[in-house]
Each structure stands twice: as C-alpha cells, then as structure tokens.
Amino acid sequence: MNGLDNIDLAALKIVRYPDPRLRGPCLKVEGIDDALRALTRRMFELMYVARGVGLAAPQVGLPLRLFVANPAGGPDPDQEAVYISPVVEEQSGQMIEDEGCLSLPGLNCKIKRANVVTLTATDLDGQRFRQTGEELIARIFQHETDHLNGLLIADKMSAVSKMANRRLLKELEERFEAEALP
Ligand code: CO
C-alpha cells in the first residue's frame, strides 16, 4: 500500500547528511496496514539505539510523511507516539536551544523555534488526533515535520554556526562520497 512490501526492515538504517533521500519529496501515507506498523516499530528501535527523541521516515530512506517520537529519550512505551501525515496547525512563542539530528551526527547548534506547537496527525489506528506540545515536544514537532519537507538543521542554523561547523559538514560529505563508491 505504501511500497513497503519488499522492504527488508532489518536492513534499514539511519541515513546521514548529505544523502539525497533526506531531501524528499515525501509522499502521503496511503492507508495504515501491518507493513506500516512494522516500519514504525523498526523506527523506534533505530531511534532508541541512536538515543534520539524523534525519527522521520526519510531518515531511514523512505519517502513517507510520518515520524515517530518519544520525548523520554528511551523505550518508555507510555510516551511513544506515531505521527502520520502531521500538520502544524498553530505555533507561538520563541525559543533558541541546542539541537542535534541523528542524520547529522556530531552537529549540535542553536536553532530558533516556536515554543508551543499544536499538531494534528493520524495514529496507527487511523484516528486523527490533535496534540499541543511545549519546549522539547514542540521542538520535536518542528524538527521532524521539517524532515518531511526535506529540511535539515544544517539549513536552519545561523551563519555563525555554519562557520563553526563547516569542517564537520565537510567531513560528513566526504564520508558519504567515500561510502557511495563501488
Ligand atoms: Co533530524
């Protein structure tokens, strides 16, 4: 239904900048089935191993409009959530906090975000829901929906951060090219 039938979930891994799969475009999720549920399970696994709090489908190389999140930063099932076809409905306030990204290992920079964000999304039961998050959760909402639009923190950081992290970005680019060689 979502082109997932022939995907080897065990082989999925987190793709890194500047992998073009991080740049989209991401497609609408067409129906929720067992393959999609299994994908989200695998995404949680990968996210926990990497000690992240959010992971978007393009970060495992799949162009689908969904992300998983757990602000607990570990496998606490009570705080796990899947966001399918998320839409930012409202945002207010402002914060500037350090942010990282599992697709940009080693990068940590100040990013300006709204402080309160209301999102609507579909859950794994196919129900549309609405959630308002503050601070960390608001940041996850914005960071992960950015991923679905092909945007990375490397695109959003200040000119000063860009200069400070120039070498790291270059190293990631060189590593990607080296790994792409036959
Ligand atoms: Co990220």
Side-chain angles (χ1 to χ4, degrees), residues 28-180:
K28 187 172 178 290
V29 171
E30 300 288 352
I32 294 154
D33 56 6
D34 286 347
L36 192 80
R37 279 186 271 269
L39 168 64
T40 59
R41 264 323 328 146
R42 178 68 177 138
M43 288 172 64
F44 278 117
E45 261 174 42
L46 288 166
M47 182 180 84
Y48 292 140
V49 169
R51 301 185 167 276
V53 290
L55 189 68
Q59 289 184 278
V60 295
L62 297 172
L64 291 171
R65 296 196 68 83
L66 76 92
F67 69 85
V68 302
N70 189 333
D76 175 351
D78 290 343
Q79 294 196 57
E80 274 184 0
V82 175
Y83 300 86
I84 298 164
S85 306
V87 176
V88 172
E89 304 285 356
E90 284 170 42
Q91 41 187 334
S92 61
Q94 188 183 300
M95 60 179 158
I96 300 175
E97 296 287 342
D98 275 326
E99 218 170 283
C101 178
L102 297 180
S103 293
L104 287 144
L107 184 67
N108 212 285
C109 56
K110 301 255 182 245
I111 302 285
K112 196 193 324 183
R113 301 283 190 190
N115 193 38
V116 184
V117 173
T118 299
L119 195 80
T120 53
T122 301
D123 65 20
L124 282 180
D125 297 319
Q127 299 298 314
R128 203 76 191 153
F129 66 97
R130 187 181 187 90
Q131 186 184 344
T132 299
E134 289 182 34
E135 299 186 357
L136 175 61
I137 296 174
R139 208 155 67 223
I140 294 170
F141 285 173
Q142 293 164 91
H143 182 113
E144 302 309 330
T145 50
D146 276 353
H147 272 302
L148 304 184
N149 297 323
L151 274 174
L152 301 171
I153 53 173
D155 309 318
K156 297 206 142 187
M157 60 192 188
S158 69
V160 173
S161 288
K162 213 165 269 178
M163 282 299 288
N165 289 289
R166 209 173 40 180
R167 183 186 295 264
L168 174 73
L169 291 174
K170 187 98 187 99
E171 277 169 12
L172 286 169
E173 286 162 16
E174 284 167 2
R175 197 185 309 168
F176 179 74
E177 280 192 18
E179 285 169 3

